[in-house]
Amino acid sequence: MTLDETHGADASSWVQGADGHPDFPVQNLPLGLFSDGDSGPRAGVAIGDMVFDLAGWLSACDDEADRLVAGLCFDRLNDLLAAGPQLRAMLRRRLFALFTDPLRRAEAEPFLVPAGEAQMHLPCEVRDYTDFYAGIHHASKVGRLFRPDSPLLPNYRHLPIGYHGRSSSVVVSGTPVERPHGQLPGADGPRFGPTERLDHEFELAIWVGTPNVLGSPVSIGSAASHIAGFGLLNDWSARDIQAWEYQPLGPFLAKSFATSVSPWIVTPEALLPFRCPAFPRAGDDPQPLAYLLDRQDQESGGLALTLETFLQTAFMREKGLPPHRISIASARHLWWTPAQLLAHHTSNGCNLRAGDLLGTGTISGPEVGSEGSMLELTEGGARPLDLPGGERRTFLEAGDRITLKASASRAGHATIGLGTCTGEIIG
Ligand code: CA
């Protein structure tokens, strides 16, 4: 993968609103699944404030190969992601040419749908979802709250910690989140009721593309080529349920009631200018074992994305107050690269399938104001957040709306973003 004309900062699109769009200029071209008034779910591409009907355009092409690709573009994107990086890169170059050539406007315009008229769906049928724990500052801060004497367990710096999540409750951005009930710990023993410590977790979503065969681990050197793209993920968490149930087997019902993902899959090709070195190990930190160590991955396997979390309460909406930014952090704070997470996942022979979803784990920075969850922002509920309008929050309340955003900026390149991932608490 190399930089090409599709990354040119000077490229201009005839699609209205594309040039300078904070998320979706012509240099991005993320994939998603949308429907509108008269047609069912099919592949689309975000450009400016429009959704381009990729499935419809390919179906209308004269070329037989295009119609074969169009066959991968309906109902879910699993098969399109499975086709791998070469097809993805070819589509990217062709779409870039289409949207930057004013002479081809008439060809493309019938397939442009205003984003406001497009209903976005979960891009893939998520058959497996794995959540990692790669944000080292999050792991340290949360560890300190749960285990003041040993915040980071001895294995943390050696291997990617993860657990198998629940795929059936993965929902697309905008889906309301019902407050879950569960066993809550108390001095007189547990009781059953609605969680009183509902939280969000800012994570990145990693969408698996090329699958691997059961029994065939993916090497660290080729792991990046199995990743079809990235998005935003909110791992909603009930902290009281979690604290009571997590030992000895880890998260269960405190997490499985809902996981929100953003609708757009931003490809590795689009993010190529925004890669950065892997997390720098200090002198006394262990180096990754050989199966997790690759020179190119160490040099450029990280992601230089700025991550922002916004909170807007029902009261703030009533008063016309905009969403309030409660956190800003960077994806540079991931101890493991996405390729390391994928290689580790398959290192025992476990097969990943196209459309499988990996969460990176909550990403927080070391500074105050960079925390990716309420648990950290309020130090376990001990230090409430003050909000514009005079309200205070320890954990999330009914009507609270959490929005995650991520953007990539670098001198000499057009800024691109991952879009938004939003969810409002019901009850
Ligand atoms: Ca998580």
Side-chain angles (χ1 to χ4, degrees), residues 82-218:
Q86 281 181 320
L87 176 72
R88 220 170 46 229
M90 181 272 287
L91 284 174
R92 174 181 170 84
R93 285 193 301 274
R94 285 181 55 190
L95 290 167
F96 181 88
L98 183 64
F99 296 138
T100 53
D101 183 353
L103 298 177
R104 297 182 65 188
R105 185 171 181 152
E107 174 191 348
E109 219 157 33
F111 298 100
L112 284 171
V113 178
E117 295 173 18
Q119 185 189 346
M120 299 308 300
H121 302 271
L122 204 55
C124 296
E125 181 191 341
V126 181
R127 289 183 291 184
D128 274 301
Y129 158 47
T130 302
D131 197 22
F132 285 97
Y133 199 49
I136 188 166
H137 300 298
H138 168 77
S140 302
K141 288 178 189 178
V142 171
R144 212 166 290 132
L145 291 170
F146 282 73
R147 296 175 303 274
D149 297 334
S150 57
L152 275 190
L153 293 171
N155 58 4
Y156 188 86
R157 289 185 170 87
H158 293 275
L159 90 166
I161 304 293
Y163 68 97
H164 290 293
R166 183 78 195 167
S167 57
S168 65
S169 52
V170 176
V171 296
V172 73
S173 170
T175 308
V177 175
E178 295 261 2
R179 179 177 299 273
H181 286 58
Q183 278 204 20
L184 315 176
D188 302 325
R191 62 194 168 83
F192 187 81
T195 176
E196 294 165 357
R197 291 162 75 90
L198 185 53
D199 202 354
H200 66 275
E201 290 192 340
F202 193 126
E203 306 194 18
L204 290 179
I206 300 167
W207 291 98
V208 175
T210 313
N212 65 298
V213 175
L214 179 62
S216 299
V218 175

Side-chain angles (χ1 to χ4, degrees), residues 186-419:
D188 302 325
R191 62 194 168 83
F192 187 81
T195 176
E196 294 165 357
R197 291 162 75 90
L198 185 53
D199 202 354
H200 66 275
E201 290 192 340
F202 193 126
E203 306 194 18
L204 290 179
I206 300 167
W207 291 98
V208 175
T210 313
N212 65 298
V213 175
L214 179 62
S216 299
V218 175
S219 71
I220 180 65
S222 58
S225 70
H226 287 252
I227 294 173
F230 299 89
L232 299 158
L233 185 150
N234 188 339
D235 177 23
W236 303 98
S237 301
R239 300 302 183 190
D240 36 13
I241 299 172
Q242 182 181 359
W244 174 234
E245 74 172 7
Y246 90 105
Q247 289 177 318
L249 287 184
F252 181 33
L253 301 178
K255 303 277 192 178
S256 61
F257 58 95
T259 305
S260 300
V261 292
S262 56
W264 294 107
I265 299 177
V266 175
T267 65
E269 291 75 33
L271 285 168
L272 188 58
F274 310 104
R275 305 307 291 237
C276 64
F279 193 101
R281 262 63 169 167
D284 53 351
D285 283 330
Q287 286 302 305
L289 294 178
Y291 80 101
L292 294 175
L293 192 57
D294 174 76
R295 190 172 61 85
Q296 192 181 346
D297 185 53
Q298 289 295 303
E299 287 173 0
S300 59
L303 286 165
L305 293 171
T306 300
L307 318 174
E308 297 176 287
T309 309
F310 296 82
L311 169 61
Q312 190 188 41
T313 69
F315 178 76
M316 289 167 68
R317 283 196 295 283
E318 272 171 35
K319 295 291 176 193
L321 295 169
H324 176 62
R325 191 175 74 190
I326 56 173
S327 169
I328 179 166
S330 169
R332 291 176 183 267
H333 297 305
L334 288 168
W335 182 255
W336 302 104
T337 66
Q340 286 175 317
L341 298 180
L342 191 139
H344 181 69
H345 202 315
T346 68
S347 62
N348 65 345
C350 173
N351 52 321
L352 297 180
R353 295 175 290 193
D356 279 2
L357 176 63
L358 314 182
T360 55
T362 310
I363 308 172
S364 299
E367 316 88 10
V368 171
S370 65
E371 298 88 346
S373 67
M374 296 297 284
L375 181 69
E376 297 159 85
L377 280 163
T378 68
E379 295 173 16
R383 193 173 62 88
L385 272 186
D386 289 314
L387 298 175
E391 291 177 288
R392 307 183 92 191
R393 280 292 181 278
T394 50
F395 292 94
L396 300 174
E397 298 184 8
D400 287 358
R401 193 178 288 169
I402 289 286
T403 299
L404 313 181
K405 294 186 183 186
S407 64
S409 295
R410 190 177 152 200
H413 289 276
T415 293
I416 65 171
L418 301 190

Side-chain angles (χ1 to χ4, degrees), residues 17-92:
D19 290 353
H21 192 279
D23 286 309
F24 307 132
V26 73
Q27 291 87 352
N28 192 343
L29 304 174
L31 299 164
L33 190 72
F34 82 103
S35 60
D36 59 357
D38 42 3
S39 304
R42 58 202 189 278
V45 174
I47 169 99
D49 294 318
M50 309 294 278
V51 175
F52 180 68
D53 183 350
L54 176 65
W57 178 66
L58 288 171
S59 301
C61 284
D62 292 333
D63 191 290
E64 192 177 346
D66 282 344
R67 288 199 298 275
L68 284 174
V69 177
L72 311 176
C73 289
F74 290 91
D75 298 324
R76 54 183 200 165
L77 300 186
N78 299 62
D79 294 338
L80 186 63
L81 302 194
Q86 281 181 320
L87 176 72
R88 220 170 46 229
M90 181 272 287
L91 284 174
R92 174 181 170 84

